[in-house]
Amino acid sequence: MDGSGLSEPERLILAQIEQDLRADEFLDRRLRTMSPGPPLARMTHRFRSHVLAAAVGVLAALTFVLLAMAASTSKPVLIWAFAATWALTLVGLLTLLCRWSQRLARRSRARGRRRAGPP
């Protein structure tokens, strides 16, 4: 396709729509900066991520303690407590792994877009 693919009336309509959208100052500023969100939202997301990592670490330590206690005493309560903490630890680890892989994928896509430029 050599041209833009839009007829003259379509280009005029598109120009009018763009002009109307630019009249909204808040929308125009938001689109120009393309910020992912307010700083507070980014900070709370980072905080939640660190809390999850700390919780997984505490659960992992508790799992090992319960494993040692359950193996030495063979009490059903300790065995069930170990099983529950082990399951919670695995769920937390999988959640952290998913977040980590999504972050790596976003960074990889961003690097690919920066490298792919005009020839």
Side-chain angles (χ1 to χ4, degrees):
M1 193 176 238
D2 294 331
S4 66
L6 295 176
S7 65
E8 188 60 33
E10 290 172 331
R11 277 189 244 139
L12 289 173
I13 292 171
L14 181 61
Q16 180 63 37
I17 291 171
E18 289 175 349
Q19 183 179 5
D20 291 343
L21 288 174
R22 280 194 203 99
D24 184 0
E25 293 176 12
F26 176 75
L27 177 65
D28 189 42
R29 183 176 58 250
R30 182 80 171 158
L31 289 174
R32 276 188 280 117
T33 58
M34 290 302 288
S35 175
L40 183 61
R42 289 191 303 264
M43 189 170 33
T44 57
H45 180 266
R46 192 175 301 137
F47 177 73
R48 284 190 313 246
S49 182
H50 290 301
V51 168
L52 179 61
V56 167
V58 169
L59 279 172
L62 183 61
T63 299
F64 285 121
V65 169
L66 285 172
L67 174 64
M69 291 173 61
S72 65
T73 61
S74 297
K75 290 187 179 180
V77 173
L78 289 175
I79 293 171
W80 281 107
F82 160 73
T85 56
W86 180 66
L88 286 174
T89 304
L90 286 180
V91 167
L93 280 173
L94 286 174
T95 304
L96 286 173
L97 182 67
C98 288
R99 288 182 184 178
W100 178 70
S101 64
Q102 287 172 350
R103 199 173 333 134
L104 283 179
R106 275 195 305 266
R107 286 180 186 166
S108 176
R109 281 193 303 266
R111 270 192 233 120
R113 273 187 260 133
R114 274 188 261 144
R115 287 184 189 157

